[in-house]
Amino acid sequence: MADLEVEQRVEALRDEIREHNRRYYELDEPTISDADYDDLVRELRRLEEEFPELITADSPTQQVSGRATTTFAPVVHQVPMMSLDNAFDEGELRAWGERLQRRIGEGDGPVAIGFVCEPKIDGLAISIRYEGGRFVQAATRGDGRTGEDVTANIATLADVPKSLGAGAPAVLEVRGEVYMSHPAFEALNAGQVERGLRPFVNPRNAAAGALRQKDASITASRELSLWCYQLGAIEGGPELRTHSETLELMRSLGFPVNPEVRAVDTIDDVLAYCRERQAARHDLPYEIDGVVVKVDDLALRAQLGSTSKAPRWAIAYKFPPEERTTKLLDIQVSVGRTGRATPYAVLEPVFVGGVTVSQATLHNEDQVRAKDVRPGDTVIVRRAGDVIPEVLGAVLADRPEGSQPWVFPRHCPACGAELVRPEGEADTRCVNIACPARALGSIEHFASRGAMDIEGLGDKRIRQLLELGLVRDVADIYSIDWEVLRPLDGWGEVSIRNLQAAIEASKSQPLPRLLVGLNIRHLG
Ligand code: IVH
């Protein structure tokens, strides 16, 4: 890029990042996924590294993002609440370890640096202040220097001790993450859908919405939780030498400290912890988006110091993203073997959760109505682990003008029969037993490995057999007119013989498999 182009790109990135910061921290209404945001910051950081003369003090890379809004009274943090630098892969994590060695090593080989690894909770940072052992104030992070007074809201959390008993430090600021657990989030969203209200896109947004309530009784009804992971100001407390001791102190005073936290000796141990946590990220009943790695020794921390934005002694190792934004091109309905008509999103392909996703489920009519996603919208897509991709919601700020709510079709897209939604049920169905979409689903299921296990009878072949009118239901598999197939492409003598043998062999499958294959509704 030419110099002018670089300068323009850097400015454009800064403007865009600032706008996303405003939407995330002030409006609680992000319009891109965290991963897309991280990509913008990474590009800006790369350009600033390459062209350091372009770095300005007001660049988002040099500041803690976030700002106190005017809704709540401002609180100046006695000790600033810093942000964290990110590592997006193991190489970046190792590079951080090497930087630490260079800063504290004396040139004669590696020095021993102990680390503490903690799950990175996807919630909101909070600072809770105690004076004389009594809870006196709670504030959000804000821009790191000034946060918002959310004392009344935080006081409603069962996890927050209201008094620390005798022997507590004269002043103590405990920092941690307020979050919403998966069960609490699911219950909240089920209630939202039931009442025809828009569900929250993810637990973080739900937690942010719950915390920023002028009426603290609404916060109280939303079931927020807390993990504590850091101290701010401390006066009159015991002398602390390590982070592990800090966590132990917090634990002993009654604060919730995450039991998954682990102290380790080397950067290799750190990597092992990160891999382990990443593989088990869905085993926890709350959302984590990475691992925070911290130098354990507090004297070493002081030696390492901080940049204007983040401490050098800690880093956030970010897991690959499971949520991304993309365009919703269309909403279609697919009919399965039971006749259930499931709406699904046709998406502009997006790489999320380790694969490229171009379709995602929308579950049922009520879900589409509650989420109110419309073709043309920018939507947030989630793919977590092996779970099928899902559309979480639309980015309303980017909705095209004049768009209309999507309406569930009245007729089956496969056979044209009228779709039926029985009173009190969530599902809409095609009740035509001769529907080819139902036949395809039933035969596919019948032939599948868990049922009659007919090798070679997959989606493509079943479609062809249906189109040729050679089968209409599962029973027809046993009386296929093979002569019709012989002259056709893809039906060589060997494949016909193999398929005939597989069909023949399926006749000896035990009864339970046949029952599974027939997929009789209400028969478990
Ligand atoms: S320590 C100076 N520990 O991640 C260090 N932060 O991306 C301050 N977070 O603002 C943060 N889990 O909201 C720390 N175990 C953990 C954390 C954690 C989640 C959040 C926190 C912070 C953000 C930085």
Side-chain angles (χ1 to χ4, degrees):
M1 266 196 264
D3 285 1
L4 185 64
E5 263 177 66
V6 174
E7 234 179 293
Q8 282 169 344
R9 179 71 190 140
V10 163
E11 264 321 305
L13 281 167
R14 285 178 184 158
D15 284 348
E16 207 177 333
I17 292 166
R18 282 189 196 110
E19 177 57 16
H20 288 308
N21 285 343
R22 195 177 73 83
R23 290 181 180 192
Y24 186 90
Y25 290 106
E26 291 175 47
L27 309 179
D28 283 336
E29 221 179 77
T31 52
I32 55 171
S33 63
D34 290 358
D36 293 320
Y37 173 86
D38 285 343
D39 286 347
L40 293 174
V41 175
R42 224 181 311 181
E43 186 185 346
L44 176 59
R45 204 177 282 283
R46 222 192 40 236
L47 288 173
E48 287 180 344
E49 266 163 29
E50 205 178 325
F51 305 96
E53 67 278 12
L54 295 181
I55 299 178
T56 55
D58 70 347
S59 171
T61 58
Q62 310 298 308
Q63 295 181 327
V64 174
S65 26
R67 175 176 300 175
T69 66
T70 49
T71 325
F72 295 88
V75 174
V76 176
H77 298 298
Q78 191 177 333
V79 175
M81 291 181 81
M82 302 204 95
S83 169
L84 292 173
D85 283 337
N86 293 324
F88 291 98
D89 55 41
E90 293 194 3
E92 290 184 10
L93 197 50
R94 269 192 197 284
W96 173 71
E98 283 158 16
R99 283 200 298 280
L100 294 182
Q101 285 291 344
R102 278 199 299 277
R103 279 189 179 270
I104 50 191
E106 271 131 36
D108 13 300
V111 255
I113 307 172
F115 301 98
V116 176
C117 303
E118 304 175 359
K120 185 173 187 301
I121 316 296
D122 199 6
L124 298 107
I126 203 86
S127 183
I128 311 172
R129 187 174 168 94
Y130 293 79
E131 288 174 4
R134 284 187 41 248
F135 168 81
V136 291
Q137 191 173 55
T140 62
R141 188 178 73 169
D143 66 1
R145 283 173 207 293
T146 311
E148 296 172 312
D149 189 331
V150 285
T151 308
N153 310 72
I154 289 296
T156 69
L157 269 68
D159 284 352
V160 173
K162 307 301 176 300
S163 70
L164 307 179
V171 172
L172 185 74
E173 279 176 8
V174 171
R175 281 152 188 200
E177 201 82 351
V178 171
Y179 67 96
M180 191 176 281
S181 72
H182 286 309
F185 174 69
E186 270 142 34
L188 174 64
N189 265 359
Q192 293 283 110
V193 173
E194 220 163 81
R195 280 177 281 144
L197 298 173
R198 195 182 293 280
F200 291 94
V201 162
N202 55 36
R204 190 200 173 273
N205 282 15
L211 193 60
R212 291 253 176 84
Q213 293 289 336
K214 268 289 178 195
D215 177 357
S217 70
I218 301 180
T219 313
S221 70
R222 296 268 173 98
E223 226 189 297
L224 293 173
S225 306
L226 174 74
W227 287 127
C228 297
Y229 48 63
Q230 207 62 44
L231 285 185
I234 173 163
E235 291 166 21
E239 188 159 344
L240 298 166
R241 280 161 306 167
T242 61
H243 184 58
S244 302
E245 284 177 13
T246 310
L247 295 175
E248 212 31 67
L249 173 69
M250 290 197 283
R251 223 175 245 140
S252 70
L253 291 170
F255 293 96
V257 173
N258 197 314
E260 308 297 335
V261 168
R262 193 188 299 163
V264 301
D265 292 330
T266 67
I267 202 80
D268 282 325
D269 301 336
V270 168
L271 291 178
Y273 179 92
C274 291
R275 276 182 218 134
E276 214 177 285
R277 271 274 58 99
Q278 190 169 321
R281 72 188 279 192
H282 299 298
D283 295 354
L284 298 170
Y286 47 86
E287 199 70 17
I288 63 169
D289 59 349
V291 170
V292 180
V293 187
K294 301 172 178 175
V295 169
D296 199 6
D297 187 302
L298 300 184
L300 276 187
R301 283 190 183 188
Q303 198 183 326
L304 288 161
S306 304
T307 65
S308 58
K309 187 184 171 212
R312 291 196 188 86
W313 45 261
I315 196 150
Y317 170 76
K318 295 287 264 301
F319 294 157
E322 293 186 328
E323 284 177 21
R324 284 268 185 191
T325 38
T326 188
K327 250 292 172 294
L328 176 61
L329 303 174
D330 198 8
I331 299 177
Q332 293 181 2
V333 167
S334 77
V335 173
R337 62 176 190 266
T338 60
R340 194 171 130 191
T342 308
Y344 67 96
V346 181
L347 304 163
E348 210 164 79
V350 62
F351 191 74
V352 58
V355 297
T356 301
V357 168
S358 53
Q359 290 185 353
T361 185
L362 284 161
H363 301 291
N364 58 39
E365 185 179 12
D366 290 349
Q367 289 270 344
V368 189
R369 188 171 301 137
K371 288 176 183 167
D372 185 22
V373 285
R374 308 175 182 186
D377 274 348
T378 298
V379 290
I380 301 146
V381 178
R382 177 176 173 84
R383 184 186 180 271
D386 294 335
V387 182
I388 52 170
E390 185 187 15
V391 171
L392 300 178
V395 175
L396 296 180
D398 291 347
R399 172 160 283 168
E401 239 174 80
S403 84
Q404 294 297 317
W406 181 77
V407 184
F408 207 95
R410 294 187 43 212
H411 296 99
C412 171
C415 71
E418 203 163 327
L419 293 173
V420 177
R421 181 171 172 191
E423 184 85 26
E425 282 193 23
D427 292 333
T428 309
R429 288 176 195 281
C430 171
V431 289
N432 170 18
I433 46 167
C435 171
R438 291 185 59 173
L440 174 69
S442 321
I443 300 173
E444 237 175 346
H445 174 74
F446 185 80
S448 68
R449 201 162 289 167
M452 299 296 273
D453 194 15
I454 306 176
E455 210 185 311
L457 193 57
D459 174 82
K460 209 169 125 208
R461 286 209 161 136
I462 301 169
R463 274 178 202 278
Q464 204 176 359
L465 293 171
L466 282 165
E467 273 161 25
L468 292 166
L470 292 176
V471 299
R472 270 164 312 170
D473 56 31
V474 293
D476 292 341
I477 296 171
Y478 296 95
S479 56
I480 292 172
D481 182 353
W482 299 100
E483 295 316 310
V484 179
L485 292 167
R486 265 182 233 287
L488 301 180
D489 268 359
W491 291 94
E493 201 44 51
V494 178
S495 53
I496 288 188
R497 219 174 316 125
N498 287 345
L499 186 53
Q500 283 172 329
I503 291 173
E504 202 49 36
S506 75
K507 292 181 182 169
S508 321
Q509 293 287 16
L511 183 64
R513 277 178 173 268
L514 176 66
L515 290 178
V516 168
L518 290 176
N519 187 45
I520 303 162
R521 223 177 147 202
H522 305 306
L523 181 77

